[in-house]
Amino acid sequence: MALHQKLEARQTTIPAPLIINPIQQWDGIDGIWSTFSARLGTPPQSVRLLISTKGWQTEVNGPTSCTNLPSNCSDARGKLFDLSKSSSWQNFNGSKNVDGSNNFNFYSLASGGQFPPSPLATYGFDSVGLGETDAKGPTLDGQVVAEINVQDKSHYLGTFGISYLGTKVGSGSRPSFLRTLLDKNLIPSLSWGYAVGANYRLKQSVGSLIFGGYDTSLFTNNSLTFSMAAAGERMLLVSLRSIILSESSTSNTTSLLPSAVFSLVDSAIPGIWLPPAACSAFEAALGLTFDNATQLYLVNDDLHSNLTARNLNFTFYLGDDKKGDTIRIVLPYDSFDQMASPPFLTNNSTKPMRYFPLFRAQNDQQYTLGRVFLQEAYIIANYERRTFFVYQRVFDPLAQSLVIPIPPINATYSNNTIALSSPPSDNSSRSLAAGAIAGITVAIVIIFLILVIVVAFFSRRWPFRIHEALEKESEPLEDPPEPNEFFEEPPPPLISPDGAVAEPSSYFALDKPAARRPIGADRHAEMESPSPRIGSTLFSPVSGMSSPSELPSPRPAHELPGDDLNYPQLKGDESRSYNVLRRGSKKSTQSGKSSLSLSKTE
């Protein structure tokens, strides 16, 4: 880049944060949760979805999810999406056969992950919009949609993924909803702020979702920055140092976590998954009994009255790693006071039953802080800087919303103004070049005059001195030194301005298995970026713009647990590692149809 281009920067306006308002609706069979309205297909079909902080696709229930079930099933599951009624639906292979007969469309759900087995779903592309109407949220075409057609209790409500990860399909790829918003210049950066909502607070405090910003009125600030883990969908990983139980009526405290563990923050999961030893500590401190028939900690009326009267608080201490500073998130007993309904409740009961949403993890990949925890937390994710933040949620009925934008990584922030550095226009380049030409002309004239003076000076000296000078001039000159660069070329932004395919580590493949990694191998990579905080101000998620960090090099992704299948080989660059959405086995009958063997043509 020419020097005059480095000296000039143009002020570019970036879009404001995109606020997605939830509907006043509470859904769920494993608790009572705030859902968001979405519109799928053409003409649009309205559904209600949970937000998934780990997911990156839209997963929605199809018509056969309610076959032979009561008439209220569709509404209980947040409404159903029928792809056969959408004129804009396309299968992964580009065909329009909406009957699901093409074997390229069946895959295990991406969100199954650490909790197998994952039900099969029909995958394709369709338009997806957030909000009840176009005026309340954007609609994006060609988004990855999974239609679930099994009666699976773990995916009773559909989910909307807000991760930046994209989906790789064969030799092509599709960006996530978040990435597409950025590519279309609808949000300022690859980031979001999210609150799950709490039904027991402020006469039902609904959730909050902001793309490219966050609401400072919803949380109490702290000074801890979490670095994103290098492993794909497990980026929001925290070190859970301890859980302390306290009662307001006494000074006694009880430790409920024998040792620190790494836990995934995942809003698609209802409860909290901990090691069996920690579950035993909860049982002893609270008088809980594990029900083998339902695999739940059921709570009867007497126990519920006792726990309520004790006025309990559960304090979760979180850190970025096993050592270093911690923050604390305090949950009242009300956070754990949830209702389980059939089919989540599997003891043939037709009525909801109160339960304590604590679950026994089978391995360290299942340690999870789900929606129960997030009711009392506010989380901000900034994928461009590979950082995220967890704050104590604030419930103030008089607080006025104050939304702060999160600028892109190549922006500066000052005086409440965000400026995006960009190259000068063609006109300014030509204008500056003309000035440079004039300057060069003046310099040449000056140099010529100096040479005339030097020649005149030497012409008055002895002949041998003139001869010596001429000999030196005739000697070959050394290579001139490289000109000094006073301005370093700024590193490219994490996200290319033309919406090109993201780094290999940001996509999950649907056609290639990945090698299994040892448990715990997806821990944090070393981060090169400085701490994105400015003191202890509320601008911590948006600071550090002058020193953008690079994404860590891609790591081999772990294979999700499940059936052993033969997969087609990925053509092209075999060095690019991807996570895998496993294709459905043709022996599987979860979907009610046999999935066909897969093959790939050249």
Side-chain angles (χ1 to χ4, degrees), residues 565 584-589 593-597:
L565 301 175
S585 169
K586 67 179 181 179
K587 296 180 180 181
S588 173
T589 59
K593 299 181 181 179
S594 296
S595 63
L596 305 177
S597 300

Side-chain angles (χ1 to χ4, degrees), residues 257-443:
L257 186 67
S259 60
V261 297
F262 287 117
S263 297
L264 178 68
V265 178
D266 184 2
S267 64
I269 302 301
I272 295 175
W273 290 70
L274 294 176
C279 295
S280 297
F282 272 83
E283 293 172 7
L286 303 177
L288 299 175
T289 301
F290 187 74
D291 182 67
N292 290 315
T294 61
Q295 295 292 295
L296 300 175
Y297 287 103
L298 298 179
V299 177
N300 58 34
D301 292 341
D302 292 339
L303 179 58
H304 171 65
S305 298
N306 175 268
L307 295 176
T308 302
R310 291 169 64 180
N311 199 12
L312 302 173
N313 282 322
F314 302 80
T315 303
F316 288 68
Y317 289 86
L318 310 180
D320 185 42
D321 215 322
K322 291 183 177 179
K323 297 180 180 180
D325 296 338
T326 62
I327 62 169
R328 62 181 185 177
I329 303 297
V330 181
L331 278 66
Y333 167 68
D334 288 344
S335 301
F336 293 92
D337 182 18
Q338 300 293 339
M339 302 297 290
S341 304
F344 183 74
L345 188 62
T346 58
N347 60 354
N348 296 322
S349 173
T350 58
K351 296 181 179 181
M353 297 184 69
R354 184 172 276 109
Y355 84 111
F356 193 91
L358 174 68
F359 299 88
R360 298 175 176 178
Q362 302 301 312
N363 54 64
D364 62 359
Q365 296 293 297
Q366 292 186 344
Y367 300 156
T368 306
L369 299 177
R371 291 191 295 273
V372 164
F373 170 81
L374 289 174
Q375 290 174 114
E376 296 291 327
Y378 189 90
I379 184 168
I380 300 172
N382 191 332
Y383 296 102
E384 296 186 25
R385 294 182 177 84
R386 302 286 297 179
T387 56
F388 66 100
F389 307 82
V390 182
Y391 300 110
Q392 181 74 53
R393 180 79 159 82
V394 171
F395 299 91
D396 183 356
L398 302 180
Q400 293 185 349
S401 177
L402 177 59
V403 175
I404 302 296
I406 301 177
I409 200 168
N410 59 333
T412 57
Y413 188 92
S414 62
N415 298 326
N416 295 323
T417 301
I418 300 174
L420 181 63
S421 178
S422 62
S425 64
D426 292 339
N427 292 335
S428 60
S429 298
R430 287 194 293 267
S431 175
L432 194 57
I437 293 173
I440 292 172
T441 303
V442 173

